[in-house]
Amino acid sequence: MNRLNVIQAIVDKIRAKTYVEIGVRSGTVFLPLKVRHKIGIDPDFQIPRKAKLLHMVSFLKSKFLKMTSDTFFSEYANDYLKNGIDVAF
């Protein structure tokens, strides 16, 4: 079982609505994950074009914040996480 499978199982079991991933980088886990609201935080996203096309709906519906996690939590978390986080990775 890989990280994606473990996280998806958790999301499904608790019926998670909001997922936050810190350090998305290439989107290997982030893009294929099926959850209503996804927020990705990374100072240097490197998501390949092929991955964007393969997971286009997920890519377009997600929020990508190009910044460090320290910046996110100190300056933006209150705005983006008003309803809390169900699962974080």
Side-chain angles (χ1 to χ4, degrees):
M1 195 173 228
N2 63 31
R3 286 178 284 185
L4 173 60
N5 293 338
V6 170
I7 295 168
Q8 188 67 64
I10 293 167
V11 164
D12 294 343
K13 182 166 181 76
I14 67 169
R15 296 183 179 148
K17 293 180 181 154
T18 302
Y19 171 73
V20 174
E21 185 172 319
I22 298 167
V24 172
R25 189 68 163 183
S26 64
T28 305
V29 173
F30 187 83
L31 288 175
L33 192 69
K34 293 174 177 72
V35 63
R36 184 176 293 164
H37 303 287
K38 294 193 285 187
I39 300 169
I41 302 158
D42 197 300
D44 186 27
F45 288 102
Q46 294 187 9
I47 300 172
R49 181 184 201 123
K50 185 176 180 179
K52 291 176 186 176
L53 293 172
L54 184 62
H55 303 285
M56 186 176 291
V57 172
S58 174
F59 181 78
L60 294 173
K61 291 176 74 176
S62 299
K63 291 185 177 106
F64 295 92
L65 305 173
K66 189 173 182 171
M67 63 185 69
T68 66
S69 58
D70 287 346
T71 300
F72 174 76
F73 285 108
S74 68
E75 299 177 28
Y76 298 95
N78 289 337
D79 295 331
Y80 283 95
L81 304 176
K82 290 177 186 171
N83 296 321
I85 301 171
D86 295 312
V87 177
F89 176 61

